[in-house]
Amino acid sequence: MAYECRRAAGFLCDDNRGVVSGFLQTHREDVKWQIVLRYSGMIKSIALRLQDVYSSFAQLDDIINEGLITLADAVEKFDPAKGGFSTYASIRIRGMIIDYAKKQDWVASSV
């Protein structure tokens, strides 16, 4: 099924699959950041679940900032043939948090 994106009121698509496919077709920076903003809540949700991993050396805001960068990279590297974007993005964000913890604290390497 093809998803068509149309510009209306500043948004390119009404659904997330359409936005992601719109980026994959155009590679426009504004579309990429629209996707990042739509999925930014996922970062906080995952960060709160993994708070025990990083709470001794990082603030939630630091993790969210790193997560935004990771999410932007995930948008660029996403391959729709391998599954859904939200699954891919959540795995990348969780991995970023664990990697961040490992870089900051040697104890976290047991995670």
Side-chain angles (χ1 to χ4, degrees):
M1 175 184 269
Y3 292 94
E4 184 177 332
C5 296
R6 298 176 194 257
R7 184 176 278 288
F11 292 97
L12 294 173
C13 299
D14 292 332
D15 64 80
N16 290 333
R17 288 183 287 185
V19 175
V20 174
S21 66
F23 174 76
L24 294 174
Q25 292 171 3
T26 64
H27 292 280
R28 289 178 33 197
E29 286 292 311
D30 61 327
V31 177
K32 176 175 79 172
W33 289 105
Q34 180 183 0
I35 297 166
V36 170
L37 290 175
R38 284 191 182 199
Y39 284 92
S40 61
M42 179 189 299
I43 300 166
K44 186 173 183 179
S45 174
I46 294 169
L48 289 173
R49 280 187 268 141
L50 294 176
Q51 198 164 16
D52 291 340
V53 172
Y54 64 84
S55 63
S56 65
F57 55 82
Q59 299 290 322
L60 179 61
D61 290 342
D62 296 332
I63 297 298
I64 291 173
N65 288 335
E66 290 290 325
L68 290 170
I69 295 166
T70 300
L71 193 52
D73 187 55
V75 171
E76 292 180 5
K77 294 181 179 175
F78 174 64
D79 181 1
K82 294 183 179 179
F85 179 73
S86 62
T87 302
Y88 175 70
S90 66
I91 292 168
R92 291 284 310 270
I93 293 165
R94 186 176 190 283
M96 175 277 303
I97 293 171
I98 292 170
D99 289 346
Y100 188 81
K102 287 179 180 178
K103 288 179 189 173
Q104 301 296 321
D105 188 7
W106 64 271
V107 177
S109 63
S110 64
V111 174

